Amino acid sequence: YCSRKLSSKAERAPATMMNADMDAVEAENQVELEEKTRLINQVLELQHTLEDLSARVDAVKEENLKLKSENQVLGQYIENLMSASSVFQTTDTKSKRK
């Protein structure tokens, strides 16, 4: 009877250690899973931020092109006004001396 009692205790000890080891492995796996989830969420957030910034850059480029075009039109308009006005005509000093 004593030998049976000892052998059953000896058999339970490794099982208890295996359970503790398995619990430690499960806890480690849970920590890794949480870390992976956190990193995935962070990557997704950064992707959304990049998409937003890219859209903003595209909008600014488009606005810049529009403003450049408007500036060209205004510049041409001002040149036409200046050439039509006698105030901005170039003076010919040789003709005034004659």
Side-chain angles (χ1 to χ4, degrees):
Y1 175 76
C2 278
S3 65
R4 223 190 266 166
K5 227 178 186 183
L6 286 176
S7 66
S8 65
K9 282 185 182 180
E11 288 172 4
R12 277 189 243 146
T16 304
M17 288 180 68
M18 284 179 48
N19 285 340
D21 289 343
M22 289 175 62
D23 289 344
V25 168
E26 285 181 24
E28 186 177 321
N29 287 343
Q30 182 64 31
V31 168
E32 287 179 8
L33 181 62
E34 288 172 1
E35 180 66 12
K36 285 179 183 178
T37 302
R38 186 186 67 77
L39 289 173
I40 288 170
N41 288 335
Q42 188 176 7
V43 166
L44 290 173
E45 184 179 334
L46 289 172
Q47 282 179 337
H48 292 306
T49 301
L50 181 60
E51 288 171 356
D52 292 344
L53 288 173
S54 180
R56 176 74 175 126
V57 166
D58 290 342
V60 169
K61 282 181 180 179
E62 188 176 316
E63 182 69 16
N64 186 35
L65 288 173
K66 180 181 168 190
L67 291 174
K68 277 184 181 181
S69 176
E70 289 177 4
N71 282 343
Q72 287 177 341
V73 169
L74 287 173
Q76 187 63 45
Y77 177 73
I78 290 169
E79 282 182 31
N80 290 342
L81 285 177
M82 289 173 60
S83 65
S85 173
S86 60
V87 174
F88 296 106
Q89 294 297 319
T90 58
T91 56
D92 190 1
T93 56
K94 291 180 182 176
S95 63
K96 284 189 176 181
R97 288 185 187 165
K98 291 182 183 177

